Amino acid sequence: VFQLSVPLNFLGSVYRELRQSLLDMETLFNLQKVNVAVKDKKDAKPLLLTGGEIRFENVTFGYRNDRPIVKNLSLTIPAGKKVAIVGPSGCGKSTILRLLFRYYDVQEGRILIDGQDIRDVSLDSLRKAIGVVPQDTPLFNNTVEHNIRYGNMEASHEEVVEAAKRAHVHESIQQFPDGYGTMVGERGMMISGGEKQRLAVSRIILKDPPLLFFDEATSALDTYTEQALMSHINSILKEKRRTSVFIAHRLRTVYDSDLIIVLKAGHVAESGTHAQLIDRAGLYAELWSAQETSFGGDPEEPNYSGEG
Ligand code: ATP
C-alpha cells in the first residue's frame, strides 16, 4: 500500500494557511497517514444510515502486507449502543478506527455500516457520518467560538455556548481574556490539554454525527473532570441513541459501556459487560485489577466494583 507522509514543517506557513481553510477535523486527525490508494469506486453511493450498526467480518489488515496487525477480526458494534474497545498498548485499537474511516482498505474480510460495505460508499459520506474526538485536538488559528462552531457552521452563538456548557468548558472560556472571542491555536493563547479536549467535545456536540468515536479523548483530564464530562457525554448519547465507541486505556472511563470488547494482538480476546468480564476472570479482569491497584483506594473516588 502506497503511503504519503506529509512533511509538516517543510511546508511551513503556506501549509498552515491551507490547513486552516481546506481540511476538516477528521482529515487533520490523521493527516500523516493520508493514503492515496483509497478512492471512491466509480459507482459509489452515499452511505445510508439506519441505526448505525458497525460490523467487522473476518478482517485482516497490516500496514505492511507481511505483518498483519488485525487478524481475522470479527466484531459487532450494535446500533445505538455505547461500546468500549480496550486492550494492551499496540493491540490495534487505533488501527480499527483508521480502517473504519477508510484511511486504509482491509486486506481480507469486510467492514459494514448498516449492512453496506464501506468500500462501496462514497468516502465523503462515510467520513461525514463519523465524528471523532481524538486524543490531540487540532485547533484553528481563530477564536474559541470559531473553533467550536467548526462542528456546525450554521450554529448560532447560543448553540455554541450551550455546547460549551455541555462539554464543561464554558466556565474556562469565560476566564479567557476575550471570552469566546479569544484567539487560540498556534498563534493564539495557549490553552491546556484538558481545555483542548473539552473544546473538541463541544465541537462534536454541535456536529452531532450518527457515529461517534472517542479516541483516548479524556486522557488529559484529571479524574474528577473526566468523570463529570463522561457523565454528560453519557446522557447526551443516551438521549440521542447514538452509536458510540470509546477507545480507552483507563478502564474506569468505560466500565459502564453496554459492551466492552477486549483486544489482544489484533483479535478479540473476550467481550461482554463489565460484570460479565470480571466474572470471567480473564484479560479484562486482570487489566482492571492492575489499574485499580495503581489507583490505590482513593477515598474521594467512587466505588465501581461489580454490577456498575
Ligand atoms: P495504543 O493503545 O498504544 O495507542 P493501539 O492499540 O491503538 O495502541 P495501534 O495504534 O492500532 O495500537 O497500533 C497497532 C500496531 O500497528 C502497533 O504495533 C504499531 O506499531 C503499528 N502501527 C501503527 N500505525 C502504523 C503505521 N502507520 N505504519 C506501520 N505500523 C503502524
Side-chain angles (χ1 to χ4, degrees):
V1 180
F2 179 68
Q3 199 182 317
L4 176 75
S5 273
V6 183
L8 297 189
N9 298 331
F10 241 66
L11 301 171
S13 63
V14 177
Y15 164 72
R16 274 195 290 276
E17 293 303 325
L18 260 178
R19 182 170 74 170
Q20 266 196 68
S21 51
L22 292 180
L23 299 171
D24 70 13
M25 184 168 70
E26 283 78 18
T27 315
L28 277 169
F29 154 68
N30 217 332
L31 193 64
Q32 281 146 302
K33 302 190 181 67
V34 177
N35 186 347
V36 293
V38 173
K39 286 200 190 87
D40 270 355
K41 270 193 184 168
K42 263 215 179 88
D43 55 350
K45 295 183 182 63
L47 174 66
L48 214 77
L49 274 147
T50 45
E53 183 203 66
I54 300 167
R55 281 172 78 100
F56 279 60
E57 285 182 358
N58 307 102
V59 169
T60 296
F61 169 78
Y63 295 94
R64 286 174 22 195
N65 284 330
D66 57 345
R67 190 177 162 244
I69 301 291
V70 170
K71 290 159 215 150
N72 198 22
L73 175 76
S74 295
L75 57 85
T76 300
I77 295 166
K81 300 288 184 200
K82 177 181 170 179
V83 176
I85 299 181
V86 305
S89 185
C91 67
K93 301 184 291 293
S94 304
T95 301
I96 287 181
L97 185 48
R98 289 180 203 132
L99 289 175
L100 193 60
F101 257 103
R102 252 196 106 202
Y103 286 122
Y104 302 93
D105 275 331
V106 300
Q107 279 142 10
E108 282 168 41
R110 52 184 198 156
I111 301 172
L112 306 169
I113 298 180
D114 286 335
Q116 300 146 84
D117 189 319
I118 61 171
R119 288 169 297 195
D120 296 337
V121 304
S122 71
L123 281 170
D124 184 57
S125 67
L126 172 71
R127 292 176 186 169
K128 275 205 177 112
I130 308 171
V132 176
V133 183
Q135 197 167 2
D136 189 23
T137 306
L139 288 182
F140 300 101
N141 288 310
N142 209 310
T143 61
V144 169
E145 173 135 6
H146 176 88
N147 269 282
I148 299 175
R149 181 169 289 128
Y150 190 75
N152 171 9
M153 287 306 200
E154 259 94 75
S156 66
H157 175 72
E158 286 67 34
E159 286 165 331
V160 168
V161 172
E162 181 57 29
K165 282 184 178 163
R166 298 186 96 172
H168 282 237
V169 69
H170 174 69
E171 280 175 25
S172 307
I173 294 169
Q174 284 184 314
Q175 308 296 317
F176 294 169
D178 298 311
Y180 282 83
T182 307
M183 296 295 289
V184 290
E186 281 159 53
R187 280 171 278 167
M189 196 182 93
M190 288 292 292
I191 65 169
S192 75
E195 284 160 350
K196 261 173 108 177
Q197 287 190 330
R198 282 176 283 166
L199 285 183
V201 173
S202 329
R203 221 181 241 177
I204 210 93
I205 289 171
L206 267 191
K207 180 177 173 176
D208 196 19
L211 307 170
L212 289 112
F213 273 80
F214 297 81
D215 189 1
E216 299 282 354
T218 56
S219 56
L221 302 178
D222 62 81
T223 314
Y224 175 79
T225 313
E226 181 175 50
Q227 297 292 346
L229 180 56
M230 279 305 294
S231 87
H232 271 251
I233 292 174
N234 284 342
S235 69
I236 294 166
L237 293 173
K238 273 235 171 75
E239 177 194 315
K240 300 202 170 252
R241 299 202 186 164
R242 294 289 186 240
T243 305
S244 59
V245 181
F246 288 76
I247 293 177
H249 264 119
R250 287 199 242 171
L251 300 181
R252 278 189 173 220
T253 58
V254 296
Y255 81 99
D256 62 348
S257 304
D258 299 309
L259 176 68
I260 300 170
I261 297 171
V262 187
L263 288 189
K264 188 183 173 186
H267 69 270
V268 178
E270 54 191 18
S271 66
T273 62
H274 173 80
Q276 288 166 347
L277 291 169
I278 291 291
D279 275 353
R280 212 170 174 273
L283 180 59
Y284 179 87
E286 207 175 290
L287 293 170
W288 177 263
S289 86
Q291 290 191 5
E292 286 303 285
T293 314
S294 67
F295 270 111
D298 182 345
E300 299 292 314
E301 294 290 329
N303 177 18
Y304 294 128
S305 59
E307 284 58 59

